Amino acid sequence: MHAWETINRSLNYIEEHLSGEISTEELADAVGLSPFYFQRLFKRLVRKPVQEYVKLRRLAKVIESLKDMDRRILDVALDFGFSSHANFTRAFKETYGITPDEYRKNLPMLNTFEKPEISMNYILIDEGVPLVVGDILLEIQRRTLEKPEIYLGFETEVKISGQIPIGESTGIDVPGQLWKRYHAKKGLLAGNLGKVEMGMSYMRSFAQGLFNYFAGGLVHKMPDQMPEGFVKQELLPGKYIICRIEAENFEDLVTVNLDRANKYLFGTWLPQHNLTTEPFSVEKYFQNAEDMVYMEIWVKLLVSETGGNQK
């Protein structure tokens, strides 16, 4: 058995036992390793210490339960292995920057730590060949955009360190909050929008650890007057690498599966093909797809010094 398969077994075990006590020794024994080697291997592949990972997964799972206003916060805490209301509140605030009570008041979107699909780091697919891992299906291909696409929406500044998967910190999901704002206001553009929505990330200041995020919709007709707060963003012509992702439902698509696909594309597929891309990426969401839920990640190949695109 490969090392990653051993750790993947332990991740599955953790998911099944989040409501109870989970000791490092118990996990090591379940996969047949000494606690010493298990902890070293786990941290190397998951990039988190064992017990920190367990805590983050519990805190990711409690969010749906907290949305049920009829349930006491203490009952939610006890269901997920926290010993007291105070212990749970402290862990929640350290992780997300707000208390469970504050979360319930506004229900902001949170940037959570999802269960990684480690096997994806060790699989290299050819272009145009679908990959099925767990409940995610993805396919990578090249495409040339001949004409610019114009989008209208909102834009905000985001700290790189605070957004998984590019950073490692959890907290308020700033891009997610921007999407909520766009969906609340896009009625102001009624009659001007197509069926495609786009999220675009691009570097603002590497030195300050900041990037800009845009959330908006494809425009088939520019409005006579731009609504207050809206900005224009263009997806420029060029050669792109496209990573298409399918999922069983929209929520999984834009959270767990998007996270996994980004890690696979940027951490495994592009480096293994010796490809570099311009410092931005695009998420395209398709609203009119029938019998499937899917999106695409677009990255633009970097033009070489000789003036040609990478092959």
Side-chain angles (χ1 to χ4, degrees):
M1 181 180 293
H2 296 292
W4 63 262
E5 292 177 294
T6 300
I7 298 303
N8 213 47
R9 282 176 54 200
S10 74
L11 295 177
N12 292 334
Y13 184 94
I14 290 170
E15 292 297 303
E16 295 167 1
H17 296 83
L18 284 174
S19 61
E21 291 291 328
I22 304 176
S23 70
T24 302
E25 291 73 20
E26 177 186 357
L27 288 169
D29 184 65
V31 297
L33 291 176
S34 72
F36 174 76
Y37 284 111
F38 172 71
Q39 290 181 85
R40 292 186 64 185
L41 187 58
F42 189 97
K43 187 173 182 180
R44 178 179 176 185
L45 296 183
V46 182
R47 299 184 180 179
K48 294 286 182 185
V50 178
Q51 291 304 320
E52 182 182 355
Y53 173 81
V54 172
K55 181 190 75 173
L56 289 172
R57 287 302 299 137
R58 283 177 170 152
L59 289 168
K61 288 288 189 180
V62 302
I63 293 172
E64 285 304 313
S65 295
L66 285 174
K67 291 178 182 178
D68 182 354
M69 300 302 177
D70 294 330
R71 298 201 64 198
R72 296 189 307 162
I73 290 176
L74 176 59
D75 293 334
V76 173
L78 295 175
D79 282 350
F80 286 92
F82 293 93
S83 59
S84 67
H85 189 298
N87 179 278
F88 173 60
T89 297
R90 181 170 57 253
F92 195 94
K93 186 168 185 178
E94 287 175 352
T95 301
Y96 298 121
I98 57 176
T99 66
D101 288 293
E102 290 169 336
Y103 171 74
R104 275 189 159 175
K105 288 178 182 177
N106 300 307
L107 295 179
M109 296 188 70
L110 297 179
N111 193 20
T112 62
F113 196 91
E114 303 296 341
K115 176 179 176 288
E117 184 58 63
I118 299 177
S119 63
M120 294 180 71
N121 297 329
Y122 302 93
I123 301 172
L124 192 64
I125 58 172
D126 293 326
E127 293 176 31
V129 177
L131 169 66
V132 180
V133 182
D135 58 356
I136 180 175
L137 185 152
L138 62 83
E139 182 177 337
I140 296 176
Q141 57 185 232
R142 299 184 193 227
R143 197 179 305 167
T144 299
L145 184 65
E146 301 290 351
K147 299 179 180 179
E149 295 180 348
I150 299 175
Y151 293 80
L152 295 182
F154 298 109
E155 190 164 287
T156 191
E157 183 182 277
V158 186
K159 288 185 178 180
I160 295 173
S161 61
Q163 296 295 309
I164 291 174
I166 53 174
E168 288 297 323
S169 298
T170 50
I172 300 296
D173 182 354
V174 178
Q177 291 294 95
L178 193 67
W179 276 112
K180 288 178 70 173
R181 179 186 174 195
Y182 170 72
H183 286 141
K185 298 288 187 179
K186 69 178 183 180
L188 297 173
L189 294 171
N192 301 98
L193 297 175
K195 295 293 186 180
V196 180
E197 294 183 343
M198 179 186 78
M200 176 184 285
S201 304
Y202 63 94
M203 188 60 65
R204 177 179 177 87
S205 171
F206 184 81
Q208 297 179 22
L210 300 172
F211 71 93
N212 275 16
Y213 188 84
F214 169 90
L218 180 65
V219 175
H220 60 74
K221 176 187 175 184
M222 286 295 291
D224 295 331
Q225 184 174 355
M226 185 82 80
E228 183 179 357
F230 278 79
V231 297
K232 183 177 80 171
Q233 189 59 263
E234 291 189 31
L235 183 61
L236 298 176
K239 294 182 178 180
Y240 290 85
I241 297 291
I242 314 294
C243 180
R244 175 185 168 119
I245 319 163
E246 296 182 14
E248 294 182 0
N249 60 74
F250 186 76
E251 183 176 351
D252 286 345
L253 177 73
V254 299
T255 54
V256 180
N257 292 345
L258 176 57
D259 177 43
R260 290 174 178 173
N262 267 311
K263 287 179 178 177
Y264 179 71
L265 179 63
F266 291 101
T268 300
W269 199 88
L270 289 170
Q272 288 294 325
H273 286 79
N274 295 316
L275 294 173
T276 53
T277 59
E278 294 187 13
F280 79 93
S281 65
V282 162
E283 309 148 14
K284 277 192 179 185
Y285 301 93
F286 298 87
Q287 299 178 322
N288 61 342
E290 297 180 1
D291 301 322
M292 68 178 65
V293 182
Y294 79 98
M295 63 171 293
E296 295 174 343
I297 302 172
W298 287 50
V299 291
K300 192 175 184 183
L301 289 173
L302 190 65
V303 178
S304 68
E305 294 181 1
T306 58
N309 288 94
Q310 300 172 81
K311 301 295 186 182

